[in-house]
Amino acid sequence: MPERNGAVRVGVYVCHCGSNIAGIVDCKEVAEYAAGLIHVVVSRDYKYMCSDPGQDLIRNDIQEHKLNRIVVAACSPHLHEHTFRVATANGGLNPYYMTMVNIREQDSWVHTDRQAATEKASDLVRAAIRRVVLQRPLEKARVPIDPNVLVVGGGIAGIHAALTLANAGKHVYLVEREATIGGHMAMFDKTFPTLDCAACILTPKMSAVKAHPNITLWAYSDVEKVDGYVGNYKVRVRRRTRYIREDLCAGCQECIEACVYKQPKFADEFNQGLGKRRPIYLPFPQAIPQTPVIDRDTCIEFNEPRKIRWLTSLSQGAFSAPRGQCCLSPHFARLWKSGKCKKTCLEACGDRHAIDFKLQDQLEEIKVGTIILATGFQPFDAKRIPYYGYGHYPNVYTSLEIERLVNASGPAAGEVVLRDGKTVPKSIGIIHCVGSRDENTNRWCSRVCCMYSLKLAHLLKEHTGADIFNFYIDMRTPGKSFEEFYQRLLSEGVHFIRGKVAEVTDWVFDPSEEGKLTLRVEDTLLGVVRRIPVDMVVLSVGMEGHQDAQDVRRLFNITCSTEGFFQERHPKLAPVNTFTDGIFLAGCCQGPKDIPDTVAQAGAAAAEALALICAGYVEQEPNCAYVIEEECSGCKTCIPLCPYSAISFREDNRAEVNPVLCKGCGTCVAACPSGSLQQRMFEDDELFEEIEGVLVHA
Amino acid sequence: MKPKVAFYWCASCGGCEEAVVDLAESILDVVAAVDIVLWPVALDFKKADVEAMEDGSIAAAFINGAIRTTEQEEWAHLLRRKAQTVIAVGACAQMGGIPGLANFSNRAGVFQTVYQESPSTVNAEGVVPETTHRDNGHTLTLPGFFDTVQALHQVIDVDYFIPGCPPTPQLLADAVAALLAGKLPEKGAVLAPDQALCLDCPRKDTKPERLAISEFKRPHEILIDQEKCLLTQGLLCLGPATRSGCGSRCIEGNMPCTGCFGPTSRVRDYGGKVLSAIASAADSNDEDQIVSILAGIPDPVGTFYRYSLPVSELQRKRL
Amino acid sequence: MLETVKEAKNQEATAFEPRIVAFFCNWCTYLAADLAGTSRMKYPPNARVIRVMCSGRLDPQFILKAFADGADGVLIGGCHPGDCHYQEGNYKCLRRFHLLKRVVKEMGIEDGRFRLEWISASEGDRLRTVMIDMVEKVRALGPLHWNAPVEEVAVS
């Protein structure tokens, strides 16, 4: 039975929240009801409890009426619990003697029956009063913050975040999965709306990363394991080997020239499979680090020639690069015996001795206080929309393929030609919203596609002089100078047709369509169905979360939204925070966005990390589990239940909870068969009172 | 004047009386120190004798057994009036005990089984007990039979509890000694240690820190290892949830603890708590596998509430 | 006689408002309920929510007490398997739920009164659907009235 601790004096405050609560819940009635309950000394209703006068009510009442418990019935504790804890503390009372009741998000905003909503509020307040009587005075624990930061992902978001933090004097580990930083931005030709060359504005930042003394750059690396909690993360990083030592490589690229493959044979991933590379390669000329990679899957030294031939045939048949799947898995590796190569690359390297085929992956263990995830997006796989013919008709391209085509350092040196390698297209159709705003695939708008479709229209017109048709549902150009960019395109003679393309077909209806791809579309402005034959079709593919987003987010203990992007803590007020303290998001991994928004968000994430680091410590809610020592029987039931290994078994046959490791889930408490484990803030007796309180009328 | 003590048995098997007898020679010390004014199993005092006593004149009444009939309820109330201290002895008085399992049924159901349906019953007329019966001008009465079994403290205020099915003679002797010396703890206490059995268990060192059960076993299904922790062998040993003080006799007898000493003071519903601990040890995160592992416990209510059904949150089955 | 009793029961059934106690985990289901509120979704007011940090905190004693104290239905809301904010708490809850479910059923509490649902923080709409569905199902089952005093009639 609960102990009534002497003179318990409860103050109850029922907030109107303007008409948000008072519009449905009769706050006066709730306050009057509460006034009649045992222990309640003061019971008020007030317009805005979170305002200064509202908080002063609490503060003054504590002092004047010698209150020692506070109940605030208002919005969700997720919003204002902190506010009222502070108000309680300002009144001279331990802040954990305050409890909140949610009568807005979970009452007035979701119910329409006034009487029922008021009754619900009264029940909840009654339960809270019973609960608060048993609450204990608690102190927040302080956890120190390690000043080092881990940034995962070396695209523009990761680069900007890393540079900001490094410039602030903090040490940053930048881990990037690919062999070079730069991300998707490095693949673009020009950026909208200014038509700045993407590489020109990106590469200075990439070089700055390389040169910065405060940044440790690990490219071609993966995060393998994350342990710990805010301020105190232990991360294991696998640095995959290029078989070339970064510290010895001079970046001369003579090894690439010397490779036994006189002609490159393998699909070049950076160029979206449009070009070819050798097994030893640099992803693109300005790659950082400027160290080539020897690809274990295609180099003869590691593979039998017939496997290489088989891989080569795969490359020739594919329009997009194979990303190292089934046949290349370790399972199959044992079927292919290691070949022997002349290793002309080694010879070419000569005295520098940078190439070493005996190198192994390296595992690094680092300690950081905060982590920024900037892992970017994955473009929508256009093959999922078969009626657009990608992968079936050769001259259907994705937008990223076009970016590489028009790029001067791309596979065709900026010459836009069809897949036959020579024909310049005379007419091009650009289809917006491929894999976006689509009931059948992805429902969301990917935000950047209208703008980049306009940009590609401009660039393609510039490169080919062709007739360009943009097929759109709506034209979304909301940013600074974006509308003006659209107007410019309108004046350049590009044709705009408002309608969703139903199919891309080579079925000829009319001689003018012979040898072309025909787009069937309902022109909703004209009100007719049209057939428009073109030489080349460009699919403006949308953005998605990475395929392995679920695995990555479990690694970091954050959540994904239903769309597959990482979940922010609050869509409006906390767009870079996650629900896990100390882990922040930047860039497209959180949702589709363009480069200016990405950079802004990266700066925001860096600022959040800096705020923690500069404060030096973070305060933890004191909701840990604890063992009542003299009562513990050493039954060990709790020990295997803790995922953080926070419970250890002592030599004197007692369990012990490490409060630093305990995250306060309470799973061990529910299992303890002798009731010797309790959780602060969620004690058994507090919860029993709350249950009884909602059901049993006083 | 020697203090007066009374012993009474309600819905009981007699085991708690045997526990008193098991005091062996020490019983002589007890008898020498007190004046026994009521002990139906051994002495011939009648109800009228007790009714005639002054209220509060009995120092302590030791009552065992659950409350099943009106007679037991009347005697409980009577003894409460006549005794200064009432001590509930044994699992039945404390929690309802084995008779408490009848709370799966009710009077009609019990009578039906016992007087009509059991295999060896011959009862063509369908005679069942009644509270009054007239025969040849005479009226015979029987106590009324409640639908629900209750523990002693659910009908009268109880001052102390001695747990066990039955309590060990040592526990009884200690309780009597404490009573006589005036050294009883705060009212409402259970007169046994407030930790679980694992603390005292002779096999505790063999229990691993990470127990994970992939299959539950019943005692007749395996050859039970004499040295290893019984839970580790897949047996449903309820030691982790059960108060110690019994000397781990069942464990030493190579059988798992069934929970007769009840919960520690910090637990409200014994069955709920112990099932939480047991289920948490099921070695799987896959829903179908979990269900399959738990199917190895054929009778969860009977197993986890063997002695405590009447004092559980739900108390009885809704029929 | 039987007809009027039936009619009275039917009337009682339609007028009956189930009392549901809902245990929601702080990180998923509680936030989903908040989201339903922010989005102004509507659902019946029968549930009383008790917040815990994780569905793993749920001691079977709480559920049993809720029924014993008069709840007609008990709902547990936690994170989807694999998504628990504390890694595995919801799996422990799942294990206990399955054993407790059998106990609850054996004690005469019908299927449909005790429910476990996985609802993530972004699933405000699902929270609403579950609430509506649960209230309707429990309404059809009728009041449980576990705590209604039962007259112990000793005479046979």
Side-chain angles (χ1 to χ4, degrees), chain A residues 166-321:
Chain A
N167 288 339
K170 309 301 167 198
H171 186 88
V172 180
Y173 294 96
L174 180 55
V175 174
E176 164 58 52
R177 174 183 294 186
E178 301 297 329
T180 173
I181 54 175
H184 280 104
M185 187 174 169
M187 298 177 192
F188 300 159
D189 180 39
K190 307 271 193 298
T191 56
F192 59 76
T194 50
L195 297 175
D196 275 311
C197 149
C200 305
I201 55 177
L202 178 61
T203 45
K205 286 180 98 95
M206 287 168 61
S207 303
V209 164
K210 174 155 175 283
H212 210 298
N214 286 343
I215 300 181
T216 300
L217 172 60
W218 288 336
Y220 213 48
S221 303
D222 300 289
V223 172
E224 250 183 22
K225 197 168 186 332
V226 180
D227 279 318
Y229 49 94
V230 59
N232 229 299
Y233 287 109
K234 280 199 233 352
V235 183
R236 188 169 72 215
V237 178
R238 173 177 293 271
R239 300 183 57 193
R240 282 176 282 134
T241 181
R242 302 166 185 250
Y243 301 102
I244 302 177
R245 289 195 40 188
E246 274 179 60
D247 51 345
L248 297 177
C249 173
C252 64
Q253 300 181 45
E254 285 179 28
C255 48
I256 301 179
E257 286 302 309
C259 178
V260 293
Y261 277 90
K262 286 295 149 222
Q263 293 299 325
K265 284 251 188 309
F266 303 104
D268 179 350
E269 294 91 347
F270 187 79
N271 281 316
Q272 302 301 301
L274 293 173
K276 300 258 192 287
R277 60 162 175 83
R278 298 184 176 86
I280 180 170
Y281 69 103
L282 206 54
F284 64 98
Q286 302 99 327
I288 300 273
Q290 267 275 297
T291 312
V293 182
I294 296 179
D295 177 18
R296 201 203 157 88
D297 292 326
T298 48
C299 172
I300 294 179
E301 180 63 9
F302 297 107
N303 301 279
E304 250 198 41
R306 64 188 162 108
K307 174 188 173 191
I308 309 291
R309 281 199 291 278
W310 185 80
L311 276 177
T312 317
S313 69
L314 263 190
S315 310
Q316 280 158 1
F319 292 107
S320 47

Side-chain angles (χ1 to χ4, degrees), chain B residues 214-254:
Chain B
S214 51
E215 202 181 340
F216 287 103
K217 293 272 200 287
R218 296 175 65 192
H220 66 276
E221 288 175 337
I222 59 169
L223 225 51
I224 305 177
D225 186 306
Q226 310 252 12
E227 320 264 294
K228 268 173 54 186
C229 163
L230 294 160
L231 265 169
T232 328
Q233 300 182 54
L235 295 167
L236 278 168
C237 180
L238 306 186
T242 310
R243 220 183 251 270
S244 68
C246 58
S248 314
R249 292 174 303 167
C250 295
I251 314 303
E252 296 198 353
N254 209 28

Side-chain angles (χ1 to χ4, degrees), chain A residues 76 111 553 682 684 695, chain C residues 19 34 42-43 57 83:
Chain A
S76 170
H111 304 317
R553 69 132 187 109
F682 292 91
D684 275 350
L695 290 167
Chain C
R19 306 171 77 202
D34 275 356
K42 303 295 179 221
Y43 54 85
R57 174 71 186 88
D83 291 353

Side-chain angles (χ1 to χ4, degrees), chain B residues 25-244:
Chain B
E25 312 81 64
S26 345
I27 205 179
L28 298 171
D29 301 325
V30 175
V31 168
V34 301
D35 201 4
I36 300 178
V37 296
L38 174 72
W39 197 1
V41 79
L43 305 170
D44 200 27
F45 296 103
K46 304 281 193 257
K47 191 175 187 187
D49 299 323
V50 178
E51 280 167 336
M53 295 177 192
E54 248 186 67
D55 283 1
S57 57
I58 302 178
F62 292 83
I63 307 178
N64 73 69
I67 307 296
R68 172 93 258 191
T69 68
T70 50
E71 176 180 37
Q72 291 149 4
E73 193 188 33
E74 278 170 31
W75 266 99
H77 282 292
L78 176 62
L79 286 169
R80 178 72 267 184
R81 280 204 313 277
K82 302 298 175 185
Q84 281 163 33
T85 307
V86 169
I87 301 179
V89 177
C92 297
Q94 183 198 12
M95 303 186 287
I98 300 283
L101 288 173
N103 280 359
F104 269 116
S105 187
N106 58 8
R107 177 179 56 252
V110 172
F111 282 12
Q112 176 86 353
T113 305
V114 173
Y115 296 105
Q116 317 252 42
E117 287 175 359
S118 55
S120 54
T121 300
V122 179
N123 183 6
E125 303 93 9
V127 175
V128 291
E130 294 169 316
T131 48
T132 50
H133 180 77
R134 285 195 65 79
D135 184 52
N136 213 10
H138 299 285
T139 306
L140 302 164
T141 61
L142 277 178
F145 190 96
F146 291 121
D147 275 324
T148 300
V149 174
Q150 294 189 289
L152 190 63
H153 69 272
Q154 291 175 312
V155 295
I156 56 167
D157 280 339
V158 171
D159 298 307
Y160 298 100
F161 302 85
I162 302 177
C165 182
T168 59
Q170 187 61 49
L171 269 184
L172 280 171
D174 287 345
V176 172
L179 172 75
L180 293 175
K183 288 218 175 91
L184 285 167
E186 231 181 77
K187 291 222 169 175
V190 172
L191 302 176
D194 206 4
Q195 287 104 357
L197 189 57
C198 287
L199 195 62
D200 293 337
C201 179
R203 305 192 190 191
K204 65 178 183 249
D205 291 333
T206 66
K207 187 174 184 187
E209 273 186 32
R210 308 208 143 241
L211 178 70
I213 301 178
S214 51
E215 202 181 340
F216 287 103
K217 293 272 200 287
R218 296 175 65 192
H220 66 276
E221 288 175 337
I222 59 169
L223 225 51
I224 305 177
D225 186 306
Q226 310 252 12
E227 320 264 294
K228 268 173 54 186
C229 163
L230 294 160
L231 265 169
T232 328
Q233 300 182 54
L235 295 167
L236 278 168
C237 180
L238 306 186
T242 310
R243 220 183 251 270
S244 68

Side-chain angles (χ1 to χ4, degrees), chain A residues 16-34:
Chain A
H16 292 221
C17 192
S19 64
N20 276 311
I21 295 177
I24 296 285
V25 171
D26 188 338
C27 300
K28 243 190 189 10
E29 196 183 300
V30 176
E32 273 164 16
Y33 171 72

Side-chain angles (χ1 to χ4, degrees), chain A residues 10-13 49 58 62 68-89 93-101 128-129 131-138 621 681 686, chain C residues 51:
Chain A
V10 181
V12 178
Y13 302 86
M49 279 308 297
I58 296 176
I62 291 174
N68 49 27
R69 301 288 191 280
I70 304 289
V71 172
V72 181
C75 52
S76 170
H78 280 273
L79 275 179
H80 272 306
E81 189 174 62
H82 180 75
T83 312
F84 296 121
R85 290 224 194 277
V86 168
T88 306
L93 185 60
N94 185 292
Y96 293 91
Y97 276 139
M98 188 285 300
T99 193
M100 268 190 87
V101 182
I129 293 169
R131 188 197 206 286
V132 82
V133 166
L134 293 183
Q135 284 177 208
R136 281 85 160 155
L138 299 169
E621 274 285 81
M681 290 177 69
E686 291 170 352
Chain C
R51 182 169 74 127

Side-chain angles (χ1 to χ4, degrees), chain A residues 302-304 306-307 310 327 332-338:
Chain A
F302 297 107
N303 301 279
E304 250 198 41
R306 64 188 162 108
K307 174 188 173 191
W310 185 80
C327 46
F332 278 84
R334 66 183 201 284
L335 297 176
W336 312 99
K337 287 198 280 285
S338 179

